[in-house]
Amino acid sequence: MSAQNPSASAAVRRRLGALALHPLTLALAAAVALLALGEAISPGFASPGQIVSQLTIAALLGMVAAGQTLVIIGGREGIDLSVGGVISLCAFVAGNLMAGTDAAIPLALAATLALGFAVGLLNGLGIVLLRIPPLVMTLGMTGVIQGALVILTRGVPSGRSAPALTALMNQPLVAGIPGVLLLWAAVALGVCLLLHNTAFGVRVYAIGANPEVARIAGMRPERIRALLFGLSGMFAGLTGFLVLGYTGSVFVGIGLQYVLPSIVAVVIGGTSLAGGIGGYLGTIGGAITLTVLQSLLITLDAGPAGRQVIFGLTLLVLLLLYGRQRGLRG
Amino acid sequence: MPLLELSDLRKRYGGIVALDGADLALEAGEVHVLIGANGCGKSTLCKVIAGSVLPDSGVLRIDGAERRFRSPREAAAAGVGVFYQELSLVPSLSVEDNLLLGREPRRFGLVDRRAVRREAERQLALFAGALGPELAPDSRVADLSADQRQVVEILKVLGEDARLILFDEPTSSLDRRQVAIFFELVRALKREGRTVVFISHRMDEIFEIGDRVSVMRDGRVVETTAVADTDPGRIVRAMVGGEAAAGGAPGAAPGTAPAPARPGDATLLRVDGLSAPRVDGVSLELRAGEILGLGGLHGQGQSALLRGLFGIEPGVRGRIEVEGRPLRRPTPADSIRAGLAYISGDRGRDGVALLRPILENLAYGLVTREGGVAFPRGRVAGRLGPVVERLGLRFGSLSDPVRSLSGGNQQKVVIGRWLATAPRVILLDDPTKGIDVNAKADLFRMVRELAEAGAAILLYSSEDGELLGHAERVLVFNGGRIVRELSGEGLTRHALNEAAYATPGATPGAEAGAAA
Ligand SMILES: Nc1ncnc2c1ncn2[C@@H]1O[C@H](COP(=O)(O)OP(=O)(O)O)[C@@H](O)[C@H]1O
Ligand SMILES: [Mg+2]
């Protein structure tokens, strides 16, 4: 039968090939391989309980990386280094608003999201209006936030998570799955729909791929870019809120450990740092792979410095690979 | 004895003859103008003198001695400096590094950055006040505008201290003030006894600065005279050659040519006193079904007018009406919603997002025109189906990136994007640049269909043939203004050339008289 319709079977084969090469597939394959390696070295590494707890950590990374994905796709050297500062700030604010009571959760969540969005929008306005490079703007913002936090907290951990938030992070909700994973699934669905099935998504990719073409087609690249930074701040704010639930209370530098991994997750996920191509599915795979890699390094007792080195190297190697790929295509 | 003498220079590029026995003699201390239609071999001639192109045959003498430059370095050593039409700047380097490239001042064997900065500032000061504030010695050349790059290339050549300097279209992007400063510098060179070759398409410039003028045609120098002994009409006749005899009547003055009457055709676009950077008080009317051509030399404001109309370039003043409704300080989104479309031949810059799928590229216009939140890919593809069919677009899948297409098919994607918005007025900005003959024919077939279906078309083309073949009326631009309107019998290749090379500012009637 298939011989009668070679073009159809060719199309199917092409689709399968594309699926096999999708960054999500590749990243998940890498994660499974790492899990198997971990299980071999230290039995129990890949137990269901362990996998769930690793996914919980991956969820936190995945949510910051959602914002990072958006600003990177938006192009013009889009990158958000301030996510660490925003996570710390929002965790601090949420912890103090909540102060251990469930009733204050809605207010704390709303305040956190709004604050994250506002900080991100400030980044965006500095970048598009004052033409400050994103790297510089968001790094500067990190400095300002961290400084403010030191003044606000005087360096002492403060704030307290509410029981319900802590449960969301740590207790199974349905079928042994904690609420945070369901939340991540919802966020993932939302981000993917936004990027692929809305006019806004079409615009985001267009301004990343060729801002001048986008402008001539009637889009407003500056406005969209500023908004993307706002969204990145909002996702970082959400992450800060959840981090509070995960750790219970907040110290000043709690968010900084997410900055580099959030970028690496995006890049492993196949989104080009040059903008205009990529997507959130790949980033999800990247976040999971990175988290498993991190756990494996802890199991192997590589130490925090060693972990940083490995992340840096991973980023470099991937950039080299993707860079070469672009060269081939171009 | 002439400073430099060329005899019987020949150069072929495959089947194309660039130089076909060119002769030229330059006297020491003169400003020698070289003029000729595009592709007649002016740049090739310069490159032979500069040692960057080796001629197939011919003799080059300097001070009577036969020379053969095998590299630009050898020519530079003999005192030849060149302003290259395509510019010789390194985009990734700063202005100062470009200005002093290869001859940086040194101290203790190292580049003396302070001296470099001082020297660059001294040179830039020559154009003080005419460059815009954003040009600093440490600006990257890649970030500069076209006129700023040309100025930097001018300064770079001047810094080489050559005794023969060839300027290959150095003023094509400069504004009047910059040209005035450049001419002062040329006069200073002349006072120092240096020899200058100056290539330009602008008659007024030629008569202002030239001592002698040589006209080139088809790879040969056909006439050399003192500038004082010639006039624009004679120069144009020498340039276009045999066609001059067959040429039609001089064109009518602007606005006097009766538009072909087509009762019932509504005016779709009315522009009144529009000014913008490089556009100076343009008025025109465009009716449904009409293809109106914009002619003249490249860069005389045609493209600036179209981009200003569409809202791409800011700083537009004057009245614009689309279907009777005013369009004030338009942005592209406003223009698109008002029923305009803009198709540029510069696909890489203005046309397609190469990395994005064909589907998205086709849908950009719709997304803007219709707004809306959702982007249902399947439904959008369905709606674009007829457009894709009409274009005869050849592709694997609509989700393939545009970069997988050939140049002609990429251009079809741009056209399809605008067809999908059912525009009333279509602005075509040299739309056939770099596409093959078939794609060109397809494009114009479509443009005609659109006009027949009631759209109004404003067509700028750098190829006279396209204007002659498709436009019923042509407005000839010079220096940002409409200097002539040609239509009917008066619309001939000769009239187009004559109007294009006319001096801006002179009254059209006087020019027509001089040229006759
Ligand atoms: N490097 C090249 N390869 C092929 N053809 C060329 C090249 N350079 C110039 N030509 C051709 O030679 C002819 C003369 O070109 P050029 O000297 O640039 O003309 P002009 O400067 O008078 O416009 C043109 O037909 C042009 O297309
Ligand atoms: Mg040339």
Side-chain angles (χ1 to χ4, degrees):
Chain A
M1 277 315 275
S2 67
Q4 284 177 342
N5 201 343
S7 69
S9 74
V12 168
R13 222 176 303 135
R14 219 169 51 150
R15 289 277 279 279
L16 284 177
L19 198 64
L21 287 175
H22 191 284
L24 178 63
T25 324
L26 292 177
L28 287 180
V32 169
L34 287 170
L35 278 174
L37 184 64
E39 181 69 29
I41 293 170
S42 148
F45 186 80
S47 71
Q50 275 300 308
I51 289 180
V52 165
S53 78
Q54 294 196 25
L55 283 177
T56 303
I57 300 172
L60 293 175
L61 179 55
M63 296 217 213
V64 207
Q68 200 72 262
T69 307
L70 294 177
V71 296
I72 290 177
I73 289 176
R76 287 263 160 105
E77 287 144 28
I79 200 153
D80 189 351
L81 298 184
S82 74
V83 289
V86 175
I87 291 173
S88 308
L89 178 67
C90 289
F92 168 80
V93 169
N96 281 281
L97 285 176
M98 235 177 268
T101 59
D102 281 347
I105 286 184
L107 169 72
L109 178 62
T112 308
L113 294 181
L115 179 62
F117 184 78
V119 173
L121 195 61
L122 219 55
N123 280 329
L125 292 177
I127 288 160
V128 303
L129 295 182
L130 307 178
R131 294 174 190 280
I132 304 172
L135 201 81
V136 177
M137 180 72 213
T138 57
L139 195 61
M141 186 59 83
T142 307
V144 172
I145 294 175
Q146 289 299 130
L149 274 176
V150 170
I151 297 170
L152 287 171
T153 63
R154 300 193 190 80
V156 184
S158 83
R160 203 148 50 81
S161 171
L165 178 59
T166 307
L168 179 79
M169 295 304 297
N170 301 321
Q171 309 286 310
L173 193 69
V174 270
I177 301 171
V180 64
L181 289 186
L182 300 177
L183 181 64
W184 191 20
V187 165
L189 187 67
V191 173
C192 288
L193 281 177
L194 179 76
L195 279 174
H196 300 287
N197 299 87
T198 67
F200 181 75
V202 171
R203 294 191 181 105
V204 169
Y205 282 110
I207 67 163
N210 192 330
E212 187 59 10
V213 167
R215 192 171 73 88
I216 290 176
M219 306 174 191
R220 296 182 175 86
E222 268 78 34
R223 201 180 283 193
I224 295 170
R225 192 164 289 122
L227 195 58
L228 290 178
F229 276 91
L231 288 175
S232 174
M234 201 182 76
F235 279 114
L238 176 62
T239 310
F241 183 80
L242 296 174
V243 162
L244 173 71
Y246 192 66
T247 57
S249 80
V250 177
F251 63 95
V252 172
I254 194 163
L256 297 183
Q257 56 181 319
Y258 289 94
V259 178
L260 193 54
S262 74
I263 297 162
V264 179
V266 174
V267 174
I268 299 180
T271 294
S272 158
L273 281 177
I277 35 175
Y280 188 53
L281 278 182
T283 302
I284 294 175
I288 295 175
T289 309
L290 264 192
T291 307
V292 176
L293 178 66
Q294 195 169 22
S295 312
L296 189 63
L297 292 172
I298 293 173
T299 310
L300 296 176
D301 208 10
R307 267 179 273 155
Q308 287 287 332
V309 169
I310 303 255
F311 279 133
L313 285 177
T314 313
L315 183 60
L316 276 177
V317 168
L318 284 164
L319 283 180
L320 276 174
L321 287 177
Y322 286 117
R324 176 149 323 153
Q325 211 179 344
R326 242 197 317 285
L328 282 176
R329 278 180 286 158
Chain B
M1 182 176 45
L3 170 75
L4 176 133
E5 208 179 349
L6 303 172
S7 46
D8 203 28
L9 279 191
R10 289 170 191 278
K11 175 74 190 174
R12 298 174 70 104
Y13 291 104
I16 297 168
V17 182
L19 291 175
D20 189 21
D23 305 301
L24 185 71
L26 303 175
E27 300 296 337
E30 74 168 337
V31 176
H32 197 112
V33 171
L34 211 50
I35 188 170
N38 283 330
C40 71
K42 305 179 295 291
S43 296
T44 307
L45 188 80
C46 286
K47 286 177 186 165
V48 168
I49 302 176
S52 52
V53 163
L54 274 181
D56 299 336
S57 66
V59 179
L60 183 158
R61 285 192 186 82
I62 291 186
D63 294 328
E66 187 170 335
R67 302 292 301 265
R68 194 171 165 79
F69 299 136
R70 277 176 307 260
S71 74
R73 196 174 291 259
E74 288 182 19
V80 179
V82 192
F83 175 106
Y84 285 97
Q85 182 175 11
E86 54 274 25
L87 305 187
S88 63
L89 306 174
V90 184
S92 59
L93 290 184
S94 66
V95 169
E96 59 190 3
D97 287 342
N98 266 289
L99 284 176
L100 289 136
L101 198 61
R103 45 188 194 83
E104 299 87 350
R106 285 173 189 273
R107 240 177 121 204
F108 313 125
L110 297 173
V111 174
D112 182 350
R113 300 302 317 176
R114 300 244 296 272
V116 167
R117 174 62 56 92
R118 258 198 319 277
E119 175 60 17
E121 277 170 350
R122 190 190 63 73
Q123 285 183 285
L124 288 172
L126 293 172
F127 278 85
L131 279 178
E134 65 279 22
L135 193 125
D138 56 354
S139 309
R140 243 165 41 113
V141 164
D143 299 330
L144 302 185
S145 58
D147 59 316
Q148 291 174 328
R149 287 182 206 205
Q150 283 195 330
V151 167
V152 173
E153 176 94 358
I154 288 173
L155 294 174
K156 182 181 166 196
V157 189
L158 290 179
E160 283 166 15
D161 203 31
R163 62 184 176 135
L164 167 61
I165 307 184
L166 313 167
F167 288 103
D168 191 355
E169 302 201 27
T171 56
S172 59
S173 299
L174 301 191
D175 66 27
R176 278 157 213 259
R177 264 179 75 198
Q178 293 164 335
V179 172
I181 295 172
F182 170 67
F183 281 177
E184 274 314 308
L185 296 172
V186 169
R187 289 191 189 98
L189 291 174
K190 206 174 131 174
R191 280 196 297 276
E192 292 166 10
R194 300 178 207 261
T195 308
V196 171
V197 170
F198 174 56
I199 299 180
S200 168
H201 289 295
R202 307 281 302 269
M203 275 310 163
D204 54 336
E205 294 181 356
I206 291 160
F207 282 85
E208 181 179 346
I209 197 75
D211 296 316
R212 290 198 301 159
V213 51
S214 289
V215 180
M216 287 189 74
R217 186 174 74 229
D218 301 335
R220 255 178 294 220
V221 176
V222 291
E223 184 178 278
T224 298
T225 52
V227 166
D229 296 339
T230 187
D231 57 66
R234 180 167 154 193
I235 291 178
V236 172
R237 279 195 298 279
M239 276 171 48
V240 289
E243 252 185 285
T256 59
R262 265 199 273 186
D265 283 354
T267 298
L268 290 188
L269 175 70
R270 180 175 284 124
V271 174
D272 203 4
L274 186 136
S275 290
R278 298 184 192 285
V279 182
D280 186 7
V282 166
S283 301
L284 57 86
E285 278 187 19
L286 187 59
R287 285 178 316 282
E290 187 179 23
I291 300 178
L292 176 57
L294 306 179
L297 298 171
H298 194 64
Q300 298 305 308
Q302 306 94 331
S303 188
L305 169 68
L306 298 178
R307 293 172 73 84
L309 271 178
F310 198 66
I312 299 169
E313 250 42 277
V316 174
R317 280 166 291 118
R319 282 182 68 81
I320 306 169
E321 269 177 28
V322 181
E323 296 192 87
R325 278 189 295 278
L327 195 58
R328 281 191 198 87
R329 295 208 295 148
T331 65
D334 297 335
S335 313
I336 291 164
R337 292 191 193 109
L340 262 55
Y342 170 83
I343 297 170
S344 146
D346 201 335
R347 285 185 305 285
R349 186 188 63 179
D350 303 334
V352 283
L354 286 171
L355 299 172
R356 299 311 303 162
I358 299 166
L359 175 73
E360 288 177 20
N361 269 279
L362 282 170
Y364 289 162
L366 276 182
V367 162
T368 297
R369 177 135 202 192
E370 300 183 351
V373 173
F375 186 75
R377 281 173 193 264
R379 277 231 294 286
V380 173
R383 280 188 60 186
L384 290 168
V387 171
V388 169
E389 196 138 310
R390 182 152 165 215
L391 290 164
L393 193 65
R394 262 189 283 278
F395 60 94
S397 146
L398 280 179
S399 50
D400 289 344
V402 165
R403 75 184 310 156
S404 66
L405 301 176
S406 69
N409 276 303
Q410 289 180 10
Q411 187 66 337
K412 285 182 184 174
V413 169
V414 180
I415 297 164
R417 172 187 309 159
W418 298 115
L419 285 188
T421 68
R424 303 292 290 139
V425 178
I426 303 172
L427 313 173
L428 297 169
D429 187 0
D430 216 356
T432 59
K433 235 186 287 174
I435 61 177
D436 64 43
V437 192
N438 286 331
K440 269 183 205 186
D442 282 353
L443 186 140
F444 281 112
R445 182 180 44 75
M446 211 134 41
V447 166
R448 285 180 163 279
E449 282 173 19
L450 285 167
E452 273 153 29
I457 312 244
L458 208 48
L459 164 69
Y460 165 54
S461 171
S462 56
E463 283 184 35
D464 291 348
E466 292 182 1
L467 294 176
L468 293 167
H470 304 287
E472 298 134 49
R473 253 194 321 150
V474 174
L475 306 174
V476 182
F477 277 65
N478 199 336
R481 271 182 275 179
I482 298 173
V483 292
R484 201 79 65 84
E485 174 168 336
L486 304 170
S487 61
E489 294 281 280
L491 182 52
T492 64
R493 192 176 290 270
H494 178 67
L496 268 180
N497 264 292
E498 194 179 62
Y501 283 93
T503 313
T507 63
E511 268 162 33

